[in-house]
Amino acid sequence: VPLCAAPRCRGQPRRRPPATAAPRPAHRCAPSTAAASLLPPPLPCRPAADALARPGTLQGLLSPTMPPKFDPTEVKIVYVRVTGGEVPAASALAPKVGPLGLSPKKIGDDLVKATKEWQGMRVTAKLVIQNRQAKAEVVPSASALVIKALKEPPRDRKKVKNIVHSGSITMDDVIRIARIMREKSLAKKFEGTVLEILGTAQSIGCQVDGEDPHDIIDQIHDGEGPEIPDE
């Protein structure tokens, strides 16, 4: 039996593995012959890259493509809630107008000019955007129109809290506001729209011709209220 030449073996006989033992794998991560028989069959080869990039495949959907071209004739409408006569926060405008290529600071200045007549009131503004040019206009609500009809002096909303609207408006103001809000109303007749404005006036807390708005609503239901035009 040949002796081992390694110093640590000190001339002892060289040990050989038994003939029945499985050969050691080439790498510790490579599976043995017994373990390889338990593994699933290998996957088929991948198709060509151009086949994966065809339309309709997942890779085709994820592959980088050119964005659509800028259309100067496209019109986009964005609604924002602002305080009349005040510059809105850029952090509130940036997520809405930034992706459209507009400057929040310039849009804020346009909103201040468009809402100058609604000083101190919360109103909804509409931005009509075309070719990276925005046009601002106010979309008033029924409550904002009623408060504006009260002709109250402007207040600093940061200093004055819990404002009470205890003024009085005329029935002509109610009819005028009802004509403005007729397009948004769900009432079949114009009388129903007038009743909606009277209900808004009641919720605000103001009076109509010195009377409680709900009393006028009861009079209209009884057929004894003020005369209401058809349109």
Side-chain angles (χ1 to χ4, degrees):
V1 178
L3 299 178
C4 182
R8 60 187 178 88
C9 293
R10 298 178 182 177
Q12 296 181 3
R14 183 181 298 175
R15 297 180 182 179
R16 295 180 178 178
T20 58
R24 296 182 61 186
H27 192 266
R28 62 180 180 179
C29 296
S32 61
T33 306
S37 61
L38 301 178
L39 294 177
L43 296 175
C45 61
R46 295 185 302 172
D50 57 347
L52 285 176
R54 292 172 185 168
T57 61
L58 179 61
Q59 187 70 18
L61 296 176
L62 298 179
S63 61
T65 57
M66 293 295 292
K69 293 184 178 180
F70 176 71
D71 186 6
T73 61
E74 184 180 5
V75 178
K76 294 185 179 181
I77 298 177
V78 178
Y79 291 93
V80 291
R81 188 78 173 167
V82 296
T83 303
E86 297 183 8
V87 181
S91 60
L93 291 178
K96 294 187 176 182
V97 301
L100 302 178
L102 300 175
S103 172
K105 185 177 183 302
K106 185 178 182 302
I107 296 298
D109 296 338
D110 294 341
L111 289 173
V112 171
K113 296 177 182 178
T115 60
K116 190 178 297 182
E117 298 180 359
W118 308 83
Q119 185 73 31
M121 289 186 288
R122 294 288 292 177
V123 293
T124 302
K126 180 173 72 171
L127 296 173
V128 182
I129 303 170
Q130 182 179 8
N131 197 13
R132 294 182 181 175
Q133 299 293 327
K135 180 182 178 182
E137 58 184 38
V138 178
V139 184
S141 60
S143 58
L145 289 171
V146 171
I147 294 174
K148 185 178 180 181
L150 290 172
K151 298 179 181 179
E152 297 177 344
R155 304 183 180 90
D156 189 356
R157 64 186 185 92
K158 295 182 181 179
K159 297 180 181 179
V160 182
K161 303 293 183 181
N162 301 324
I163 300 175
V164 178
H165 305 285
S166 58
S168 178
I169 61 177
T170 62
M171 193 63 192
D172 294 336
D173 293 333
V174 174
I175 295 175
R176 177 180 57 83
I177 296 172
R179 285 173 178 160
I180 297 175
M181 302 301 297
R182 179 58 179 161
E183 297 181 358
K184 295 184 178 181
S185 176
L186 300 178
K188 292 183 178 180
K189 298 181 179 179
F190 183 70
E191 179 183 344
T193 307
V194 173
L195 293 175
E196 291 177 354
I197 303 303
L198 289 172
T200 303
Q202 179 185 1
S203 64
I204 290 176
C206 65
Q207 296 180 341
V208 178
D209 289 334
E211 300 182 21
D212 188 87
H214 200 276
D215 295 340
I216 300 179
I217 293 176
D218 293 338
Q219 294 175 11
I220 294 175
H221 286 318
D222 297 338
E224 301 175 355
E227 183 179 354
I228 300 176
D230 296 334
E231 289 293 336

